Coordinates of all heavy atoms in Angstrom, one line a residue:
M1 N 48.5 -125.4 165.4 CA 47.3 -126.1 165.1 C 46.5 -126.5 166.3 O 45.3 -126.3 166.6 CB 47.7 -127.4 164.3 CG 46.5 -128.2 164.0 SD 45.9 -127.9 162.3 CE 44.7 -129.2 162.2
F2 N 47.3 -127.1 167.3 CA 46.6 -127.4 168.6 C 46.1 -126.2 169.3 O 45.0 -126.3 169.9 CB 47.6 -128.3 169.5 CG 47.1 -128.7 170.8 CD1 46.1 -129.6 170.9 CD2 47.5 -127.9 171.9 CE1 45.5 -130.0 172.1 CE2 47.0 -128.4 173.1 CZ 46.0 -129.3 173.2
T3 N 46.8 -125.1 169.3 CA 46.4 -124.0 170.1 C 45.2 -123.3 169.5 O 44.3 -122.9 170.1 CB 47.6 -122.9 170.2 OG1 48.0 -122.6 168.9 CG2 48.7 -123.4 171.0
E4 N 45.1 -123.4 168.1 CA 43.9 -122.9 167.5 C 42.7 -123.8 167.8 O 41.6 -123.3 168.0 CB 44.1 -122.8 166.0 CG 45.1 -121.9 165.5 CD 45.4 -122.0 164.0 OE1 44.7 -122.8 163.3 OE2 46.3 -121.3 163.6
M5 N 42.9 -125.0 167.8 CA 41.8 -126.0 168.2 C 41.3 -125.7 169.6 O 40.1 -125.7 169.9 CB 42.2 -127.5 168.0 CG 41.2 -128.5 168.2 SD 41.7 -130.1 168.1 CE 42.8 -130.2 169.6
L6 N 42.3 -125.5 170.5 CA 42.0 -125.3 171.9 C 41.3 -124.1 172.1 O 40.3 -123.9 172.8 CB 43.3 -125.4 172.7 CG 43.1 -125.3 174.3 CD1 42.3 -126.5 174.8 CD2 44.5 -125.2 174.9
T7 N 41.6 -123.0 171.3 CA 41.0 -121.6 171.5 C 39.6 -121.8 170.9 O 38.7 -121.2 171.5 CB 41.8 -120.6 170.6 OG1 43.2 -120.7 171.1 CG2 41.3 -119.2 170.8
N8 N 39.4 -122.4 169.8 CA 38.0 -122.6 169.3 C 37.1 -123.4 170.2 O 36.0 -122.9 170.3 CB 38.1 -123.2 167.9 CG 38.7 -122.3 166.9 OD1 38.6 -121.1 167.0 ND2 39.3 -122.9 165.8
A9 N 37.7 -124.4 170.8 CA 36.9 -125.1 171.7 C 36.6 -124.3 173.0 O 35.4 -124.4 173.4 CB 37.6 -126.5 172.1
Y10 N 37.5 -123.6 173.4 CA 37.2 -122.7 174.6 C 36.1 -121.7 174.3 O 35.2 -121.4 175.0 CB 38.4 -122.0 175.1 CG 38.2 -120.9 176.0 CD1 37.7 -121.2 177.3 CD2 38.2 -119.6 175.6 CE1 37.4 -120.1 178.1 CE2 37.9 -118.6 176.5 CZ 37.5 -118.9 177.7 OH 37.2 -117.9 178.6
L11 N 36.2 -121.0 173.1 CA 35.2 -120.1 172.7 C 33.9 -120.7 172.6 O 32.9 -120.1 173.1 CB 35.7 -119.4 171.5 CG 37.0 -118.4 171.5 CD1 37.3 -117.9 170.2 CD2 36.7 -117.4 172.5
T12 N 33.7 -121.9 172.0 CA 32.4 -122.5 171.9 C 31.8 -122.9 173.2 O 30.7 -122.6 173.5 CB 32.6 -123.7 171.0 OG1 33.2 -123.3 169.7 CG2 31.3 -124.4 170.7
I13 N 32.7 -123.5 174.1 CA 32.2 -124.0 175.4 C 31.9 -122.7 176.2 O 30.9 -122.7 177.0 CB 33.3 -124.9 176.1 CG1 33.3 -126.2 175.2 CG2 32.8 -125.2 177.5 CD1 34.5 -127.1 175.6
G14 N 32.8 -121.7 176.2 CA 32.6 -120.5 177.0 C 31.3 -119.9 176.6 O 30.6 -119.3 177.5
G15 N 31.1 -119.6 175.3 CA 29.9 -119.1 174.8 C 28.6 -119.8 175.3 O 27.7 -119.2 175.7
N16 N 28.7 -121.1 175.3 CA 27.5 -121.9 175.8 C 27.3 -121.7 177.3 O 26.1 -121.5 177.7 CB 27.7 -123.4 175.6 CG 27.8 -123.7 174.1 OD1 27.1 -122.9 173.4 ND2 28.2 -124.8 173.7
F17 N 28.3 -121.6 178.1 CA 28.1 -121.4 179.5 C 27.6 -120.0 179.8 O 26.8 -119.7 180.5 CB 29.5 -121.5 180.3 CG 29.8 -122.9 180.7 CD1 31.0 -123.5 180.3 CD2 28.9 -123.7 181.3 CE1 31.3 -124.7 180.6 CE2 29.2 -125.0 181.6 CZ 30.4 -125.5 181.3
I18 N 28.1 -119.0 179.0 CA 27.7 -117.7 179.2 C 26.2 -117.4 178.8 O 25.4 -116.8 179.4 CB 28.5 -116.6 178.4 CG1 29.9 -116.6 179.0 CG2 28.0 -115.3 178.4 CD1 30.9 -115.8 178.3
S19 N 25.8 -118.1 177.8 CA 24.4 -118.1 177.3 C 23.4 -118.7 178.3 O 22.3 -118.3 178.4 CB 24.2 -118.6 175.9 OG 24.6 -120.0 176.0
L20 N 23.9 -119.6 179.1 CA 23.1 -120.3 180.0 C 23.0 -119.7 181.4 O 22.2 -120.0 182.3 CB 23.5 -121.8 180.1 CG 23.2 -122.6 179.0 CD1 23.8 -124.1 179.3 CD2 21.8 -122.7 178.7
L21 N 23.9 -118.7 181.7 CA 24.0 -118.1 183.0 C 22.7 -117.4 183.4 O 22.3 -117.6 184.5 CB 25.1 -117.1 183.0 CG 26.5 -117.8 183.3 CD1 27.7 -116.7 183.2 CD2 26.6 -118.6 184.4
P22 N 21.9 -116.7 182.5 CA 20.6 -116.1 183.0 C 19.7 -117.2 183.5 O 18.8 -117.0 184.3 CB 20.1 -115.4 181.8 CG 21.3 -115.1 180.9 CD 22.2 -116.3 181.2
F23 N 19.7 -118.3 182.9 CA 18.9 -119.4 183.3 C 19.1 -119.9 184.8 O 18.2 -120.3 185.5 CB 18.9 -120.7 182.3 CG 18.3 -120.3 181.0 CD1 19.2 -120.4 179.9 CD2 17.0 -120.0 180.8 CE1 18.6 -120.0 178.7 CE2 16.5 -119.7 179.6 CZ 17.4 -119.7 178.5
Y24 N 20.4 -120.0 185.1 CA 20.8 -120.3 186.4 C 20.2 -119.3 187.4 O 19.8 -119.7 188.6 CB 22.3 -120.4 186.6 CG 23.0 -121.5 185.8 CD1 24.0 -121.2 185.1 CD2 22.4 -122.8 185.8 CE1 24.7 -122.2 184.3 CE2 23.0 -123.8 185.0 CZ 24.1 -123.5 184.3 OH 24.8 -124.5 183.6
S25 N 20.2 -118.1 187.1 CA 19.7 -117.0 188.1 C 18.3 -117.2 188.2 O 17.6 -117.0 189.2 CB 20.2 -115.7 187.7 OG 19.5 -115.3 186.3
I26 N 17.5 -117.5 187.0 CA 16.0 -117.6 187.1 C 15.7 -118.8 188.0 O 14.7 -118.8 188.8 CB 15.5 -117.8 185.7 CG1 15.6 -116.5 184.9 CG2 14.0 -118.2 185.7 CD1 15.3 -116.5 183.5
I27 N 16.4 -119.9 187.8 CA 16.2 -121.1 188.6 C 16.4 -120.8 190.0 O 15.5 -121.3 190.9 CB 17.0 -122.2 188.1 CG1 16.5 -122.8 186.6 CG2 16.9 -123.4 189.1 CD1 17.4 -123.7 186.0
S28 N 17.4 -120.1 190.4 CA 17.7 -119.8 191.7 C 16.6 -119.0 192.3 O 16.4 -119.0 193.6 CB 19.1 -119.3 191.9 OG 19.1 -117.9 191.4
Q29 N 16.0 -118.0 191.6 CA 15.1 -117.2 192.2 C 13.7 -118.0 192.3 O 13.0 -117.6 193.3 CB 14.8 -116.0 191.2 CG 15.9 -115.0 191.2 CD 15.7 -114.0 190.1 OE1 14.7 -113.9 189.5 NE2 16.5 -113.0 190.1
L30 N 13.5 -119.0 191.6 CA 12.2 -119.7 191.7 C 12.3 -120.8 192.8 O 11.3 -121.1 193.3 CB 11.9 -120.5 190.4 CG 11.5 -119.6 189.1 CD1 11.4 -120.5 187.9 CD2 10.3 -118.8 189.5
L31 N 13.4 -121.2 193.2 CA 13.5 -122.1 194.3 C 13.4 -121.5 195.7 O 13.7 -120.3 196.0 CB 15.0 -122.8 194.3 CG 15.2 -123.5 193.0 CD1 16.7 -123.9 193.0 CD2 14.3 -124.7 192.9
V32 N 12.7 -122.2 196.6 CA 12.3 -121.7 197.9 C 13.3 -121.9 198.9 O 13.6 -121.1 199.8 CB 10.9 -122.3 198.3 CG1 10.4 -121.9 199.6 CG2 9.9 -122.0 197.2
D33 N 14.0 -123.1 198.9 CA 15.0 -123.4 199.8 C 16.1 -122.6 199.9 O 16.8 -122.5 198.8 CB 15.3 -124.9 199.6 CG 16.1 -125.5 200.9 OD1 16.1 -124.9 201.9 OD2 16.7 -126.6 200.6
E34 N 16.5 -121.9 201.0 CA 17.6 -121.0 201.0 C 18.9 -121.7 200.9 O 19.9 -121.1 200.3 CB 17.6 -120.2 202.3 CG 16.4 -119.3 202.5 CD 16.5 -118.1 201.4 OE1 17.5 -117.6 201.1 OE2 15.5 -117.7 200.9
D35 N 19.1 -122.9 201.4 CA 20.3 -123.7 201.3 C 20.6 -124.0 199.8 O 21.8 -124.0 199.4 CB 20.4 -124.9 202.1 CG 20.3 -124.7 203.6 OD1 20.8 -123.6 204.0 OD2 19.8 -125.5 204.4
L36 N 19.6 -124.3 199.1 CA 19.7 -124.6 197.6 C 20.1 -123.4 196.9 O 21.0 -123.4 196.0 CB 18.5 -125.2 197.1 CG 18.5 -125.9 195.8 CD1 19.6 -126.9 195.8 CD2 17.3 -126.5 195.4
K37 N 19.5 -122.2 197.3 CA 19.9 -120.9 196.5 C 21.3 -120.6 196.9 O 22.0 -120.2 196.0 CB 19.0 -119.8 197.1 CG 17.7 -119.7 196.6 CD 17.0 -118.5 197.0 CE 15.6 -118.5 196.4 NZ 14.9 -117.1 196.9
K38 N 21.7 -120.8 198.1 CA 23.2 -120.5 198.4 C 24.2 -121.5 197.7 O 25.1 -121.1 197.2 CB 23.4 -120.7 200.0 CG 24.7 -120.1 200.3 CD 24.9 -120.1 201.8 CE 24.2 -118.9 202.3 NZ 24.7 -118.6 203.7
G39 N 23.7 -122.7 197.5 CA 24.5 -123.7 196.8 C 24.6 -123.4 195.3 O 25.6 -123.6 194.7
L40 N 23.5 -123.0 194.8 CA 23.5 -122.5 193.3 C 24.3 -121.4 193.1 O 25.0 -121.2 192.1 CB 22.1 -122.4 192.8 CG 21.3 -123.6 192.6 CD1 19.9 -123.2 192.1 CD2 21.9 -124.5 191.6
G41 N 24.3 -120.3 194.2 CA 25.2 -119.2 194.0 C 26.7 -119.6 194.0 O 27.5 -119.0 193.3
F42 N 27.0 -120.6 194.9 CA 28.4 -121.0 194.9 C 28.8 -121.8 193.6 O 29.8 -121.7 193.1 CB 28.7 -122.0 196.0 CG 28.7 -121.3 197.4 CD1 28.1 -121.8 198.5 CD2 29.3 -120.1 197.5 CE1 28.1 -121.1 199.7 CE2 29.4 -119.5 198.8 CZ 28.7 -120.0 199.9
L43 N 27.8 -122.5 193.0 CA 27.9 -123.2 191.7 C 28.2 -122.2 190.7 O 29.1 -122.3 189.9 CB 26.8 -124.0 191.4 CG 26.9 -124.8 190.1 CD1 27.9 -125.9 190.2 CD2 25.5 -125.3 189.7
G44 N 27.5 -121.1 190.6 CA 27.7 -120.0 189.7 C 29.0 -119.3 189.8 O 29.7 -119.0 188.9
A45 N 29.5 -119.2 191.2 CA 30.8 -118.6 191.4 C 31.9 -119.6 190.9 O 32.9 -119.1 190.3 CB 31.0 -118.4 192.8
G46 N 31.6 -120.8 191.0 CA 32.6 -121.8 190.4 C 32.6 -121.8 189.0 O 33.7 -122.0 188.3
L47 N 31.5 -121.5 188.3 CA 31.5 -121.5 186.8 C 32.1 -120.3 186.3 O 32.5 -120.2 185.1 CB 30.0 -121.6 186.3 CG 29.3 -122.8 186.4 CD1 27.8 -122.7 185.9 CD2 30.0 -123.8 185.5
T48 N 32.3 -119.3 187.1 CA 33.2 -118.1 186.6 C 34.7 -118.5 186.5 O 35.4 -117.8 185.8 CB 33.1 -117.0 187.6 OG1 33.6 -117.3 188.8 CG2 31.6 -116.4 187.7
G49 N 35.0 -119.7 186.9 CA 36.4 -120.1 186.7 C 36.6 -120.4 185.2 O 37.8 -120.5 184.8
V50 N 35.6 -120.4 184.4 CA 35.7 -120.5 182.9 C 36.6 -119.2 182.4 O 37.4 -119.3 181.5 CB 34.5 -120.6 182.2 CG1 34.6 -120.6 180.7 CG2 33.8 -122.0 182.6
G51 N 36.3 -118.2 183.1 CA 37.0 -116.9 182.7 C 38.6 -117.0 183.0 O 39.3 -116.4 182.3
M52 N 38.8 -117.8 184.1 CA 40.3 -118.0 184.4 C 40.9 -118.8 183.3 O 42.1 -118.5 183.0 CB 40.4 -118.7 185.7 CG 39.6 -118.0 186.9 SD 40.5 -116.4 187.2 CE 39.5 -115.9 188.6
I53 N 40.2 -119.8 182.8 CA 40.8 -120.6 181.7 C 41.1 -119.8 180.4 O 42.2 -119.8 179.9 CB 39.8 -121.7 181.3 CG1 39.6 -122.7 182.5 CG2 40.4 -122.6 180.0 CD1 38.6 -123.7 182.3
G54 N 40.3 -118.8 180.1 CA 40.5 -118.0 179.0 C 41.7 -117.1 179.2 O 42.5 -116.9 178.2
A55 N 41.9 -116.6 180.4 CA 43.1 -115.7 180.6 C 44.3 -116.5 180.5 O 45.3 -116.0 180.1 CB 42.9 -115.1 182.0
S56 N 44.3 -117.8 181.0 CA 45.5 -118.6 181.0 C 45.9 -118.8 179.6 O 47.0 -118.9 179.2 CB 45.3 -120.0 181.8 OG 44.9 -119.7 183.2
V57 N 44.8 -119.2 178.7 CA 45.1 -119.5 177.4 C 45.7 -118.3 176.6 O 46.6 -118.4 175.9 CB 43.8 -120.1 176.7 CG1 44.0 -120.2 175.1 CG2 43.6 -121.5 177.2
G58 N 45.0 -117.2 176.9 CA 45.5 -115.9 176.3 C 46.9 -115.7 176.7 O 47.8 -115.2 175.8
Q59 N 47.2 -115.7 178.0 CA 48.6 -115.4 178.3 C 49.6 -116.4 177.8 O 50.7 -116.1 177.5 CB 48.7 -115.4 179.9 CG 48.1 -114.1 180.5 CD 48.2 -114.1 182.0 OE1 48.7 -115.1 182.6 NE2 47.8 -113.0 182.5
G60 N 49.2 -117.6 177.7 CA 50.1 -118.7 177.1 C 50.3 -118.3 175.6 O 51.5 -118.4 175.1
L61 N 49.3 -117.9 174.9 CA 49.6 -117.5 173.4 C 50.4 -116.3 173.3 O 51.2 -116.2 172.3 CB 48.3 -117.3 172.7 CG 47.3 -118.6 172.5 CD1 45.9 -118.3 172.1 CD2 48.1 -119.6 171.7
V62 N 50.3 -115.3 174.2 CA 51.1 -114.2 174.1 C 52.5 -114.5 174.4 O 53.4 -114.0 173.7 CB 50.5 -113.1 175.1 CG1 51.5 -112.0 175.3 CG2 49.2 -112.5 174.6
G63 N 52.7 -115.3 175.5 CA 54.1 -115.7 175.8 C 54.7 -116.5 174.7 O 55.9 -116.2 174.3
Y64 N 54.0 -117.4 174.0 CA 54.5 -118.2 172.9 C 54.9 -117.3 171.8 O 56.0 -117.4 171.2 CB 53.4 -119.2 172.5 CG 53.8 -119.9 171.2 CD1 54.6 -120.9 171.1 CD2 53.1 -119.5 169.9 CE1 55.0 -121.6 169.9 CE2 53.4 -120.1 168.8 CZ 54.3 -121.1 168.8 OH 54.5 -121.8 167.6
G65 N 54.1 -116.3 171.5 CA 54.3 -115.4 170.4 C 55.6 -114.6 170.5 O 56.5 -114.3 169.8
A66 N 55.7 -114.1 171.9 CA 56.8 -113.3 172.2 C 58.2 -114.1 172.2 O 59.2 -113.5 171.8 CB 56.6 -112.7 173.6
C67 N 58.1 -115.2 172.6 CA 59.3 -116.2 172.6 C 59.8 -116.4 171.2 O 61.0 -116.5 170.8 CB 59.1 -117.5 173.2 SG 59.0 -117.3 175.1
I68 N 58.9 -116.6 170.3 CA 59.1 -116.9 168.9 C 59.6 -115.6 168.2 O 60.7 -115.8 167.5 CB 57.8 -117.4 168.1 CG1 57.4 -118.7 168.7 CG2 58.1 -117.4 166.5 CD1 58.4 -119.9 168.4
A69 N 59.1 -114.5 168.5 CA 59.6 -113.2 168.0 C 60.9 -112.9 168.4 O 61.8 -112.5 167.6 CB 58.6 -112.1 168.2
I70 N 61.2 -113.1 169.7 CA 62.5 -112.8 170.2 C 63.6 -113.8 169.7 O 64.7 -113.4 169.3 CB 62.6 -112.8 171.8 CG1 61.8 -111.6 172.3 CG2 64.0 -112.7 172.4 CD1 61.6 -111.6 173.7
G71 N 63.1 -115.1 169.5 CA 64.2 -116.1 168.9 C 64.4 -115.6 167.5 O 65.6 -115.9 167.0
R72 N 63.5 -115.1 166.7 CA 63.8 -114.8 165.3 C 64.5 -113.3 165.1 O 65.3 -113.2 164.2 CB 62.4 -114.7 164.6 CG 61.8 -116.0 164.3 CD 60.6 -115.8 163.5 NE 59.9 -117.1 163.3 CZ 58.8 -117.3 162.8 NH1 58.0 -116.2 162.5 NH2 58.2 -118.5 162.7
N73 N 64.3 -112.6 166.1 CA 64.9 -111.2 166.0 C 65.3 -110.8 167.4 O 64.5 -109.8 168.0 CB 63.9 -110.2 165.3 CG 64.5 -109.1 164.7 OD1 65.7 -108.8 164.9 ND2 63.7 -108.1 164.2
P74 N 66.4 -111.1 167.9 CA 66.8 -110.8 169.3 C 67.1 -109.4 169.6 O 66.9 -109.0 170.7 CB 68.1 -111.6 169.5 CG 68.2 -112.7 168.4 CD 67.4 -112.0 167.3
E75 N 67.5 -108.7 168.6 CA 67.7 -107.1 168.9 C 66.4 -106.4 169.3 O 66.6 -105.2 169.8 CB 68.5 -106.5 167.9 CG 67.9 -106.5 166.5 CD 68.2 -107.7 165.6 OE1 68.9 -108.6 166.1 OE2 67.7 -107.8 164.5
T76 N 65.3 -106.9 168.9 CA 64.0 -106.1 169.3 C 63.5 -106.7 170.5 O 62.3 -106.4 170.9 CB 63.0 -106.3 168.1 OG1 62.8 -107.7 167.9 CG2 63.5 -105.8 166.9
A77 N 64.2 -107.4 171.4 CA 63.7 -107.9 172.7 C 63.1 -106.9 173.6 O 62.0 -107.1 174.2 CB 64.7 -108.7 173.3
P78 N 63.7 -105.6 173.8 CA 63.1 -104.7 174.7 C 61.7 -104.3 174.2 O 60.8 -104.2 175.1 CB 64.1 -103.5 174.7 CG 65.3 -104.1 174.3 CD 65.0 -105.3 173.3
K79 N 61.5 -104.1 172.9 CA 60.1 -103.6 172.5 C 59.1 -104.8 172.6 O 58.0 -104.5 173.0 CB 60.3 -103.2 171.0 CG 61.0 -101.9 170.8 CD 60.9 -101.4 169.4 CE 61.7 -100.2 169.2 NZ 61.6 -99.7 167.7
I80 N 59.6 -106.0 172.3 CA 58.7 -107.2 172.4 C 58.3 -107.4 173.8 O 57.2 -107.7 174.2 CB 59.4 -108.4 171.7 CG1 59.5 -108.1 170.2 CG2 58.6 -109.5 172.0 CD1 60.2 -109.2 169.5
T81 N 59.3 -107.3 174.7 CA 59.0 -107.5 176.1 C 58.1 -106.5 176.7 O 57.1 -106.9 177.5 CB 60.3 -107.5 176.9 OG1 61.2 -108.4 176.4 CG2 60.1 -107.8 178.4
S82 N 58.2 -105.2 176.4 CA 57.2 -104.2 176.8 C 55.8 -104.4 176.3 O 54.8 -104.4 177.0 CB 57.8 -102.8 176.4 OG 57.7 -102.7 175.1
T83 N 55.7 -104.8 175.1 CA 54.4 -105.2 174.4 C 53.8 -106.4 175.1 O 52.6 -106.5 175.3 CB 54.6 -105.4 173.0 OG1 55.1 -104.3 172.4 CG2 53.3 -105.6 172.4
L84 N 54.7 -107.3 175.4 CA 54.3 -108.6 176.1 C 53.6 -108.3 177.4 O 52.7 -108.9 177.8 CB 55.5 -109.6 176.3 CG 55.3 -110.8 177.2 CD1 54.4 -111.8 176.6 CD2 56.6 -111.4 177.5
I85 N 54.2 -107.5 178.3 CA 53.7 -107.1 179.5 C 52.5 -106.4 179.5 O 51.5 -106.7 180.2 CB 54.8 -106.3 180.3 CG1 56.0 -107.1 180.6 CG2 54.2 -105.7 181.7 CD1 57.2 -106.4 181.1
I86 N 52.3 -105.5 178.5 CA 51.0 -104.7 178.3 C 50.0 -105.7 177.9 O 48.9 -105.8 178.4 CB 51.2 -103.7 177.4 CG1 52.0 -102.5 177.9 CG2 49.8 -103.1 176.9 CD1 52.5 -101.5 176.9
T87 N 50.2 -106.6 177.0 CA 49.2 -107.5 176.5 C 48.8 -108.6 177.5 O 47.7 -108.9 177.7 CB 49.8 -108.3 175.2 OG1 50.2 -107.3 174.2 CG2 48.7 -109.1 174.6
A88 N 49.8 -109.0 178.4 CA 49.4 -109.9 179.5 C 48.5 -109.3 180.5 O 47.7 -109.8 181.1 CB 50.8 -110.4 180.1
G89 N 48.7 -107.9 180.6 CA 47.9 -107.2 181.5 C 46.4 -107.2 181.0 O 45.4 -107.3 181.7
F90 N 46.3 -107.0 179.6 CA 44.9 -107.1 179.1 C 44.3 -108.5 179.2 O 43.1 -108.6 179.5 CB 45.0 -106.7 177.6 CG 45.2 -105.2 177.4 CD1 46.0 -104.8 176.4 CD2 44.6 -104.3 178.1 CE1 46.3 -103.4 176.1 CE2 44.7 -102.9 177.9 CZ 45.6 -102.5 176.9
C91 N 45.2 -109.5 179.0 CA 44.6 -110.9 179.2 C 44.2 -111.1 180.7 O 43.2 -111.8 180.9 CB 45.7 -111.9 178.9 SG 46.0 -112.0 177.0
E92 N 44.9 -110.6 181.6 CA 44.6 -110.8 183.1 C 43.5 -110.1 183.5 O 42.8 -110.5 184.4 CB 45.9 -110.4 183.8 CG 45.8 -110.7 185.3 CD 45.8 -112.3 185.5 OE1 46.4 -113.0 184.6 OE2 45.4 -112.7 186.5
S93 N 43.0 -109.0 182.8 CA 41.9 -108.2 183.2 C 40.5 -109.1 183.1 O 39.7 -108.9 183.9 CB 41.7 -107.0 182.3 OG 41.4 -107.4 181.0
G94 N 40.5 -110.1 182.1 CA 39.4 -110.9 182.1 C 39.3 -111.9 183.3 O 38.2 -112.2 183.8
A95 N 40.5 -112.4 183.8 CA 40.4 -113.1 185.1 C 40.0 -112.3 186.2 O 39.3 -112.9 187.1 CB 41.9 -113.7 185.2
I96 N 40.4 -111.0 186.3 CA 40.1 -110.2 187.3 C 38.6 -109.9 187.3 O 37.9 -110.0 188.4 CB 40.8 -108.8 187.4 CG1 42.3 -109.2 187.6 CG2 40.2 -107.8 188.3 CD1 43.2 -108.1 187.4
Y97 N 37.9 -109.7 186.2 CA 36.5 -109.5 186.0 C 35.8 -110.8 186.5 O 34.8 -110.8 187.2 CB 36.0 -109.3 184.6 CG 36.4 -107.9 184.1 CD1 36.9 -107.7 182.8 CD2 36.5 -106.8 185.0 CE1 37.3 -106.5 182.4 CE2 36.9 -105.5 184.5 CZ 37.3 -105.4 183.3 OH 37.6 -104.1 182.8
A98 N 36.3 -112.0 186.2 CA 35.7 -113.2 186.6 C 35.8 -113.5 188.1 O 34.9 -113.9 188.7 CB 36.4 -114.5 186.0
L99 N 37.0 -113.0 188.7 CA 37.0 -113.1 190.2 C 36.1 -112.1 190.9 O 35.5 -112.5 191.9 CB 38.5 -112.6 190.5 CG 38.8 -112.6 192.0 CD1 38.8 -114.0 192.6 CD2 40.2 -111.9 192.2
V100 N 35.9 -111.0 190.3 CA 34.9 -110.0 190.9 C 33.5 -110.6 190.8 O 32.7 -110.4 191.8 CB 35.0 -108.6 190.2 CG1 33.9 -107.7 190.6 CG2 36.4 -107.9 190.5
I101 N 33.1 -111.1 189.7 CA 31.8 -111.7 189.6 C 31.7 -112.9 190.6 O 30.6 -112.9 191.2 CB 31.5 -112.1 188.1 CG1 31.5 -110.9 187.3 CG2 30.3 -113.0 188.0 CD1 31.4 -111.2 185.8
A102 N 32.8 -113.7 190.8 CA 32.6 -114.8 191.7 C 32.4 -114.3 193.2 O 31.6 -114.8 193.8 CB 33.9 -115.7 191.6
I103 N 33.2 -113.2 193.5 CA 33.0 -112.7 194.8 C 31.7 -112.1 195.0 O 31.0 -112.2 196.1 CB 34.1 -111.5 195.1 CG1 35.5 -112.3 195.2 CG2 33.9 -110.8 196.3 CD1 36.7 -111.4 195.2
L104 N 31.1 -111.4 194.0 CA 29.8 -110.8 194.1 C 28.8 -112.0 194.3 O 27.8 -111.9 195.1 CB 29.4 -110.0 192.9 CG 30.1 -108.6 192.8 CD1 29.8 -108.0 191.5 CD2 29.6 -107.8 193.9
L105 N 28.9 -113.1 193.5 CA 27.9 -114.1 193.7 C 28.0 -114.8 195.0 O 27.0 -115.3 195.6 CB 28.2 -115.3 192.6 CG 27.8 -114.9 191.2 CD1 28.3 -116.0 190.2 CD2 26.2 -114.9 191.2
I106 N 29.3 -114.9 195.6 CA 29.4 -115.5 197.0 C 28.8 -114.6 197.9 O 28.0 -115.1 198.9 CB 30.8 -115.9 197.1 CG1 31.2 -117.0 196.3 CG2 31.0 -116.3 198.7 CD1 32.7 -117.3 196.4
F107 N 29.1 -113.3 198.0 CA 28.8 -112.5 199.2 C 27.6 -111.7 198.9 O 26.9 -111.3 200.0 CB 30.1 -111.5 199.5 CG 31.2 -112.4 200.0 CD1 32.3 -112.5 199.3 CD2 31.1 -113.1 201.2 CE1 33.5 -113.1 199.7 CE2 32.3 -113.7 201.7 CZ 33.4 -113.8 200.9
V108 N 27.2 -111.4 197.8 CA 26.1 -110.4 197.6 C 24.8 -111.3 197.2 O 23.7 -111.1 197.8 CB 26.3 -109.4 196.6 CG1 25.1 -108.6 196.2 CG2 27.4 -108.5 197.0
A109 N 24.9 -112.2 196.2 CA 23.8 -112.9 195.8 C 23.2 -114.0 196.7 O 22.1 -114.4 196.6 CB 24.0 -113.5 194.4
S110 N 24.1 -114.5 197.5 CA 23.7 -115.6 198.3 C 23.1 -115.1 199.6 O 23.5 -114.2 200.2 CB 24.9 -116.6 198.7 OG 25.6 -117.0 197.5

């Protein structure tokens, strides 16, 4: 119940941040002061940390499901573990995309 509530809250808040990201870029283009543009670029890079939260929640849910499945049926542990590793890699790819965007915002956009 708590994990579903947390996931729904994350999806709602994350969707709001993502929908507002184009406005941040428009505001930064309209501003004349270079220091303020650089500061807004760093702020945008910090906001990509929301992607890291999603990856953490996803990996936690995957680990929780794997532990419950292995606890119920221990003889299928090797198959569950291999699926767990593959799925954790998929969850981590979102965090890697967020990291790449943060690096681009810091070094290219500023």
Side-chain angles (χ1 to χ4, degrees):
M1 176 97 174
F2 178 72
T3 56
E4 292 174 5
M5 182 183 70
L6 187 64
T7 305
N8 290 335
Y10 166 73
L11 291 175
T12 304
I13 293 170
N16 291 338
F17 277 128
I18 290 171
S19 64
L20 290 176
L21 285 178
F23 294 115
Y24 295 134
S25 65
I26 291 171
I27 290 171
S28 69
Q29 289 174 359
L30 294 176
L31 296 172
V32 179
D33 192 11
E34 290 297 321
D35 290 334
L36 194 54
K37 280 186 179 180
K38 188 174 279 195
L40 286 175
F42 289 138
L43 180 67
L47 285 176
T48 59
V50 174
M52 304 294 180
I53 294 170
S56 300
V57 169
Q59 286 181 352
L61 290 174
V62 167
Y64 170 76
C67 288
I68 294 296
I70 291 173
R72 288 182 181 170
N73 199 359
E75 60 270 2
T76 60
K79 288 183 179 181
I80 293 172
T81 304
S82 63
T83 306
L84 167 72
I85 292 171
I86 292 170
T87 309
F90 286 137
C91 291
E92 190 65 28
S93 67
I96 292 171
Y97 291 144
L99 176 67
V100 168
I101 290 172
I103 290 173
L104 287 173
L105 283 172
I106 290 172
F107 294 113
V108 177
S110 306

